[in-house]
Amino acid sequence: MAVLDDLSGFEFEDLMEDVFRNLGYENVRQAERTADEGRDVLMEEVVDGTRRAIIVECKHTGTVGRPVVQKLHSAIATFDFDGPKRGMVVTTGRFTNPAQEYAQRLQQNDDPHPIELLDGEDLREIADEIGLDLYNGRIEILCDETLRPYDPAADVDAPVQEAFRDIENVEAADLPRPHSQVSFRPVVAITADTNAVFETSVGVIHRINDRTQFVVHAERGRPQVADEAVATLVTENLHATVDLDIDQFGEVFDDVEERRFGQTQTEYKEWAVERLQDYHTTTVTYTGDNNVTYNKTCEPNRSDISVQSIEPVYLPEVRQTTDLGEYRYPYEYYAAGPSRVTAEDGIYRCVHCETSGVDETYTYCPNCGAIACDSHSKTERLEGEPVCTGCAVTERFALKTKYFYDEENLEAFREEYAEMPIHEKAMENKWLAGGSAITTLLLLVGLLLIGGIL
């Protein structure tokens, strides 16, 4: 039949490794491809609290006869595992009647090493279940679960309100409702084991026994490893996913976007194996039997790396934009219910310079809507409220620059200033007024000259 015809035997084994992993089996890995003794894929399952090994023979042929099943039965018996064991033969074709009868007899006789048979028809049913494209041997990513895009116990705008909380001169309750959009970005959480031993004539010179977990952004293009904060957000919340219901989330957010997984599960697995090969490759220095020092590059084989799980999930990326006066403030973060990782913070940032970060002090300017750092935030002289240097109208009084919301306020203060006694005018420059007597006297003389009194 036409199913999987273009795959080689080894490629079929690679595919079945992915299939079994998707079906929920544990510790799925391939046996050594040289002298496999009838063992192509090894895996485990837990039944009623008991862990059992499963030895799988993969046959990419039209017909599988009884000798293949008998050979696997012998291989199961000699397989080193502390616990019960069973076998499985998988083929893209069909099993002969003697092969089926042999497997049935093992079941009926309660043999300690029973064997299950999966033929091409069984593979078709499995393909429908896990999204397997039988004609190219790839497992498409089928996922309908997402991390929570917001905290169900709080308002969806709560993160923005919290971010504005530390900005001086603005109350979160007075903020306009931000425009909220969410993009459900595909990611995969990959867990893989690397076990390799490197030996020379002097014995073992290097050993790798490592479990690696990482999260990968899984959109179109080459996979990108997520940074540590995002990876932690994903892995710590995989147990609390919800259904990806676009209609439901459309009632909460102004815009909703769902992005597609860019590659197949098989491609992500192959990429992960290559990445781990590079990661674990190292040069080891050792001394030979002749007391000569040697350098050897130790690179694990593909068979040394076993991908234990590839868990797809959608990671919500929320972007909330708040318009204040002349300015727009974006706040973007990855969400998992009440937990989040900030991707872009346009709130803790001065609009007039490069000052940014939560450790700085910022003040809101109600005149133009700017959020400014201390260097660009002043006190409006007439009303005593904050104003930023970007919108303020300025003029010098008592040799001191004063800041005003607009020309109208400036003109009002000019009139007020003209009516001030000379000593009050001097107080408009507190630094000079608080100085030495000579400095103060010079200031007063200057003010009298300016006023045309002297």
Side-chain angles (χ1 to χ4, degrees), residues 189-219:
I190 300 174
T191 302
D193 289 339
T194 305
N195 294 283
V197 177
F198 301 89
E199 297 181 82
T200 68
S201 59
V202 299
V204 175
I205 61 170
H206 184 57
R207 189 187 303 269
I208 303 172
N209 185 9
D210 178 71
R211 167 158 288 192
T212 307
Q213 294 179 300
F214 51 95
V215 173
V216 179
H217 291 289
E219 297 174 38

mmCIF file of all heavy atoms in Angstrom, residues 189-219:
data_model
loop_
_atom_site.group_PDB
_atom_site.id
_atom_site.type_symbol
_atom_site.label_atom_id
_atom_site.label_comp_id
_atom_site.label_asym_id
_atom_site.label_seq_id
_atom_site.Cartn_x
_atom_site.Cartn_y
_atom_site.Cartn_z
ATOM 1 N N ALA A 189 7.636 22.455 24.750
ATOM 2 C CA ALA A 189 8.534 22.160 25.867
ATOM 3 C C ALA A 189 9.158 20.791 25.606
ATOM 4 O O ALA A 189 8.445 19.786 25.485
ATOM 5 C CB ALA A 189 7.773 22.166 27.184
ATOM 6 N N ILE A 190 10.471 20.761 25.499
ATOM 7 C CA ILE A 190 11.184 19.535 25.116
ATOM 8 C C ILE A 190 12.001 19.021 26.297
ATOM 9 O O ILE A 190 12.708 19.791 26.960
ATOM 10 C CB ILE A 190 12.117 19.798 23.922
ATOM 11 C CG1 ILE A 190 11.300 20.288 22.715
ATOM 12 C CG2 ILE A 190 12.913 18.543 23.553
ATOM 13 C CD1 ILE A 190 12.149 20.705 21.529
ATOM 14 N N THR A 191 11.894 17.743 26.558
ATOM 15 C CA THR A 191 12.717 17.074 27.562
ATOM 16 C C THR A 191 13.501 15.958 26.877
ATOM 17 O O THR A 191 12.905 15.141 26.152
ATOM 18 C CB THR A 191 11.867 16.478 28.689
ATOM 19 O OG1 THR A 191 11.103 17.520 29.307
ATOM 20 C CG2 THR A 191 12.742 15.818 29.748
ATOM 21 N N ALA A 192 14.805 15.930 27.069
ATOM 22 C CA ALA A 192 15.643 14.924 26.397
ATOM 23 C C ALA A 192 16.729 14.429 27.339
ATOM 24 O O ALA A 192 17.237 15.191 28.183
ATOM 25 C CB ALA A 192 16.272 15.513 25.138
ATOM 26 N N ASP A 193 17.073 13.167 27.204
ATOM 27 C CA ASP A 193 18.169 12.555 27.966
ATOM 28 C C ASP A 193 19.345 12.300 27.038
ATOM 29 O O ASP A 193 19.164 11.837 25.903
ATOM 30 C CB ASP A 193 17.733 11.225 28.592
ATOM 31 C CG ASP A 193 16.743 11.419 29.736
ATOM 32 O OD1 ASP A 193 16.713 12.538 30.291
ATOM 33 O OD2 ASP A 193 16.010 10.467 30.056
ATOM 34 N N THR A 194 20.539 12.598 27.517
ATOM 35 C CA THR A 194 21.766 12.287 26.790
ATOM 36 C C THR A 194 22.615 11.368 27.650
ATOM 37 O O THR A 194 22.990 11.733 28.778
ATOM 38 C CB THR A 194 22.556 13.569 26.459
ATOM 39 O OG1 THR A 194 21.709 14.483 25.756
ATOM 40 C CG2 THR A 194 23.766 13.239 25.598
ATOM 41 N N ASN A 195 22.883 10.183 27.154
ATOM 42 C CA ASN A 195 23.704 9.211 27.868
ATOM 43 C C ASN A 195 24.767 8.676 26.913
ATOM 44 O O ASN A 195 24.438 8.017 25.916
ATOM 45 C CB ASN A 195 22.846 8.053 28.405
ATOM 46 C CG ASN A 195 21.869 8.512 29.472
ATOM 47 O OD1 ASN A 195 22.242 8.746 30.609
ATOM 48 N ND2 ASN A 195 20.604 8.649 29.095
ATOM 49 N N ALA A 196 26.009 8.984 27.202
ATOM 50 C CA ALA A 196 27.100 8.570 26.321
ATOM 51 C C ALA A 196 28.357 8.288 27.141
ATOM 52 O O ALA A 196 28.623 8.969 28.144
ATOM 53 C CB ALA A 196 27.377 9.642 25.272
ATOM 54 N N VAL A 197 29.110 7.294 26.708
ATOM 55 C CA VAL A 197 30.381 6.942 27.352
ATOM 56 C C VAL A 197 31.455 6.916 26.266
ATOM 57 O O VAL A 197 31.270 6.298 25.215
ATOM 58 C CB VAL A 197 30.296 5.575 28.054
ATOM 59 C CG1 VAL A 197 31.653 5.210 28.645
ATOM 60 C CG2 VAL A 197 29.235 5.600 29.156
ATOM 61 N N PHE A 198 32.578 7.584 26.535
ATOM 62 C CA PHE A 198 33.674 7.654 25.569
ATOM 63 C C PHE A 198 34.891 6.949 26.176
ATOM 64 O O PHE A 198 35.342 7.303 27.276
ATOM 65 C CB PHE A 198 33.995 9.112 25.250
ATOM 66 C CG PHE A 198 32.820 9.869 24.686
ATOM 67 C CD1 PHE A 198 31.934 10.521 25.535
ATOM 68 C CD2 PHE A 198 32.589 9.906 23.321
ATOM 69 C CE1 PHE A 198 30.847 11.220 25.025
ATOM 70 C CE2 PHE A 198 31.503 10.592 22.808
ATOM 71 C CZ PHE A 198 30.623 11.250 23.660
ATOM 72 N N GLU A 199 35.383 5.954 25.452
ATOM 73 C CA GLU A 199 36.485 5.139 25.957
ATOM 74 C C GLU A 199 37.648 5.119 24.969
ATOM 75 O O GLU A 199 37.450 5.274 23.757
ATOM 76 C CB GLU A 199 36.021 3.701 26.204
ATOM 77 C CG GLU A 199 34.947 3.565 27.259
ATOM 78 C CD GLU A 199 34.552 2.118 27.482
ATOM 79 O OE1 GLU A 199 35.276 1.424 28.240
ATOM 80 O OE2 GLU A 199 33.548 1.685 26.881
ATOM 81 N N THR A 200 38.820 4.930 25.511
ATOM 82 C CA THR A 200 40.026 4.666 24.713
ATOM 83 C C THR A 200 40.716 3.461 25.339
ATOM 84 O O THR A 200 40.147 2.782 26.202
ATOM 85 C CB THR A 200 40.971 5.886 24.725
ATOM 86 O OG1 THR A 200 41.503 6.040 26.033
ATOM 87 C CG2 THR A 200 40.245 7.149 24.293
ATOM 88 N N SER A 201 41.930 3.214 24.925
ATOM 89 C CA SER A 201 42.673 2.068 25.466
ATOM 90 C C SER A 201 42.931 2.202 26.960
ATOM 91 O O SER A 201 43.197 1.211 27.644
ATOM 92 C CB SER A 201 44.002 1.914 24.714
ATOM 93 O OG SER A 201 44.785 3.092 24.853
ATOM 94 N N VAL A 202 42.862 3.444 27.476
ATOM 95 C CA VAL A 202 43.124 3.639 28.911
ATOM 96 C C VAL A 202 41.841 3.583 29.729
ATOM 97 O O VAL A 202 41.872 3.735 30.956
ATOM 98 C CB VAL A 202 43.839 4.986 29.164
ATOM 99 C CG1 VAL A 202 45.186 5.017 28.454
ATOM 100 C CG2 VAL A 202 42.971 6.163 28.731
ATOM 101 N N GLY A 203 40.723 3.389 29.070
ATOM 102 C CA GLY A 203 39.463 3.303 29.795
ATOM 103 C C GLY A 203 38.539 4.460 29.450
ATOM 104 O O GLY A 203 38.679 5.116 28.405
ATOM 105 N N VAL A 204 37.587 4.714 30.333
ATOM 106 C CA VAL A 204 36.603 5.774 30.113
ATOM 107 C C VAL A 204 37.266 7.130 30.333
ATOM 108 O O VAL A 204 37.861 7.390 31.375
ATOM 109 C CB VAL A 204 35.409 5.615 31.077
ATOM 110 C CG1 VAL A 204 34.445 6.792 30.927
ATOM 111 C CG2 VAL A 204 34.679 4.298 30.805
ATOM 112 N N ILE A 205 37.176 8.002 29.329
ATOM 113 C CA ILE A 205 37.773 9.336 29.458
ATOM 114 C C ILE A 205 36.715 10.438 29.608
ATOM 115 O O ILE A 205 37.026 11.556 30.005
ATOM 116 C CB ILE A 205 38.668 9.670 28.246
ATOM 117 C CG1 ILE A 205 37.835 9.653 26.949
ATOM 118 C CG2 ILE A 205 39.843 8.708 28.161
ATOM 119 C CD1 ILE A 205 38.572 10.198 25.745
ATOM 120 N N HIS A 206 35.466 10.089 29.285
ATOM 121 C CA HIS A 206 34.408 11.111 29.414
ATOM 122 C C HIS A 206 33.060 10.402 29.452
ATOM 123 O O HIS A 206 32.855 9.387 28.795
ATOM 124 C CB HIS A 206 34.453 12.094 28.237
ATOM 125 C CG HIS A 206 33.469 13.210 28.341
ATOM 126 N ND1 HIS A 206 33.415 14.072 29.416
ATOM 127 C CD2 HIS A 206 32.476 13.621 27.476
ATOM 128 C CE1 HIS A 206 32.463 14.964 29.225
ATOM 129 N NE2 HIS A 206 31.874 14.704 28.061
ATOM 130 N N ARG A 207 32.160 10.961 30.245
ATOM 131 C CA ARG A 207 30.836 10.372 30.380
ATOM 132 C C ARG A 207 29.790 11.485 30.428
ATOM 133 O O ARG A 207 29.989 12.522 31.067
ATOM 134 C CB ARG A 207 30.774 9.534 31.666
ATOM 135 C CG ARG A 207 29.515 8.690 31.809
ATOM 136 C CD ARG A 207 29.466 8.038 33.182
ATOM 137 N NE ARG A 207 30.644 7.239 33.430
ATOM 138 C CZ ARG A 207 30.756 5.947 33.136
ATOM 139 N NH1 ARG A 207 29.743 5.335 32.541
ATOM 140 N NH2 ARG A 207 31.863 5.291 33.411
ATOM 141 N N ILE A 208 28.671 11.276 29.728
ATOM 142 C CA ILE A 208 27.566 12.236 29.756
ATOM 143 C C ILE A 208 26.334 11.508 30.258
ATOM 144 O O ILE A 208 25.935 10.476 29.720
ATOM 145 C CB ILE A 208 27.282 12.825 28.360
ATOM 146 C CG1 ILE A 208 28.516 13.482 27.776
ATOM 147 C CG2 ILE A 208 26.132 13.840 28.442
ATOM 148 C CD1 ILE A 208 28.343 13.901 26.320
ATOM 149 N N ASN A 209 25.730 12.050 31.296
ATOM 150 C CA ASN A 209 24.473 11.526 31.827
ATOM 151 C C ASN A 209 23.639 12.730 32.249
ATOM 152 O O ASN A 209 23.731 13.211 33.370
ATOM 153 C CB ASN A 209 24.727 10.594 33.009
ATOM 154 C CG ASN A 209 23.459 9.941 33.518
ATOM 155 O OD1 ASN A 209 22.410 10.045 32.889
ATOM 156 N ND2 ASN A 209 23.534 9.286 34.662
ATOM 157 N N ASP A 210 22.849 13.234 31.308
ATOM 158 C CA ASP A 210 22.223 14.531 31.525
ATOM 159 C C ASP A 210 20.791 14.547 31.003
ATOM 160 O O ASP A 210 20.492 13.981 29.956
ATOM 161 C CB ASP A 210 23.036 15.620 30.804
ATOM 162 C CG ASP A 210 22.420 17.001 30.951
ATOM 163 O OD1 ASP A 210 22.476 17.552 32.063
ATOM 164 O OD2 ASP A 210 21.888 17.521 29.955
ATOM 165 N N ARG A 211 19.917 15.183 31.782
ATOM 166 C CA ARG A 211 18.550 15.447 31.320
ATOM 167 C C ARG A 211 18.428 16.940 31.068
ATOM 168 O O ARG A 211 18.727 17.755 31.941
ATOM 169 C CB ARG A 211 17.514 14.991 32.331
ATOM 170 C CG ARG A 211 16.102 15.521 32.040
ATOM 171 C CD ARG A 211 15.007 14.698 32.671
ATOM 172 N NE ARG A 211 14.862 13.411 31.986
ATOM 173 C CZ ARG A 211 13.832 12.579 32.174
ATOM 174 N NH1 ARG A 211 12.865 12.902 33.015
ATOM 175 N NH2 ARG A 211 13.768 11.430 31.526
ATOM 176 N N THR A 212 17.981 17.292 29.876
ATOM 177 C CA THR A 212 17.875 18.691 29.476
ATOM 178 C C THR A 212 16.422 19.037 29.208
ATOM 179 O O THR A 212 15.707 18.286 28.541
ATOM 180 C CB THR A 212 18.690 18.969 28.202
ATOM 181 O OG1 THR A 212 20.034 18.522 28.395
ATOM 182 C CG2 THR A 212 18.708 20.453 27.886
ATOM 183 N N GLN A 213 15.996 20.179 29.734
ATOM 184 C CA GLN A 213 14.644 20.677 29.478
ATOM 185 C C GLN A 213 14.747 22.095 28.933
ATOM 186 O O GLN A 213 15.453 22.924 29.508
ATOM 187 C CB GLN A 213 13.804 20.670 30.755
ATOM 188 C CG GLN A 213 13.510 19.268 31.299
ATOM 189 C CD GLN A 213 12.704 19.306 32.581
ATOM 190 O OE1 GLN A 213 13.132 19.866 33.581
ATOM 191 N NE2 GLN A 213 11.526 18.712 32.555
ATOM 192 N N PHE A 214 14.068 22.367 27.843
ATOM 193 C CA PHE A 214 14.059 23.721 27.315
ATOM 194 C C PHE A 214 12.768 23.962 26.555
ATOM 195 O O PHE A 214 12.078 23.031 26.131
ATOM 196 C CB PHE A 214 15.281 24.006 26.428
ATOM 197 C CG PHE A 214 15.540 22.988 25.357
ATOM 198 C CD1 PHE A 214 15.064 23.174 24.078
ATOM 199 C CD2 PHE A 214 16.295 21.851 25.631
ATOM 200 C CE1 PHE A 214 15.308 22.250 23.083
ATOM 201 C CE2 PHE A 214 16.555 20.910 24.643
ATOM 202 C CZ PHE A 214 16.061 21.111 23.362
ATOM 203 N N VAL A 215 12.439 25.244 26.423
ATOM 204 C CA VAL A 215 11.213 25.655 25.740
ATOM 205 C C VAL A 215 11.604 26.373 24.460
ATOM 206 O O VAL A 215 12.534 27.185 24.448
ATOM 207 C CB VAL A 215 10.361 26.565 26.650
ATOM 208 C CG1 VAL A 215 9.170 27.138 25.877
ATOM 209 C CG2 VAL A 215 9.872 25.786 27.868
ATOM 210 N N VAL A 216 10.882 26.072 23.378
ATOM 211 C CA VAL A 216 11.231 26.598 22.068
ATOM 212 C C VAL A 216 10.040 27.342 21.476
ATOM 213 O O VAL A 216 8.912 26.837 21.482
ATOM 214 C CB VAL A 216 11.635 25.450 21.111
ATOM 215 C CG1 VAL A 216 11.975 25.999 19.733
ATOM 216 C CG2 VAL A 216 12.802 24.662 21.688
ATOM 217 N N HIS A 217 10.280 28.562 20.999
ATOM 218 C CA HIS A 217 9.267 29.270 20.223
ATOM 219 C C HIS A 217 9.084 28.524 18.903
ATOM 220 O O HIS A 217 10.046 28.333 18.145
ATOM 221 C CB HIS A 217 9.690 30.711 19.972
ATOM 222 C CG HIS A 217 9.684 31.554 21.216
ATOM 223 N ND1 HIS A 217 8.528 31.947 21.852
ATOM 224 C CD2 HIS A 217 10.698 32.068 21.952
ATOM 225 C CE1 HIS A 217 8.819 32.669 22.913
ATOM 226 N NE2 HIS A 217 10.131 32.763 22.998
ATOM 227 N N ALA A 218 7.859 28.133 18.612
ATOM 228 C CA ALA A 218 7.614 27.171 17.536
ATOM 229 C C ALA A 218 6.819 27.758 16.383
ATOM 230 O O ALA A 218 5.947 27.094 15.816
ATOM 231 C CB ALA A 218 6.898 25.941 18.102
ATOM 232 N N GLU A 219 7.109 28.991 16.012
ATOM 233 C CA GLU A 219 6.449 29.584 14.858
ATOM 234 C C GLU A 219 7.275 29.312 13.605
ATOM 235 O O GLU A 219 8.253 28.573 13.645
ATOM 236 C CB GLU A 219 6.258 31.080 15.096
ATOM 237 C CG GLU A 219 5.347 31.368 16.291
ATOM 238 C CD GLU A 219 5.272 32.843 16.613
ATOM 239 O OE1 GLU A 219 5.251 33.640 15.664
ATOM 240 O OE2 GLU A 219 5.234 33.195 17.815
#
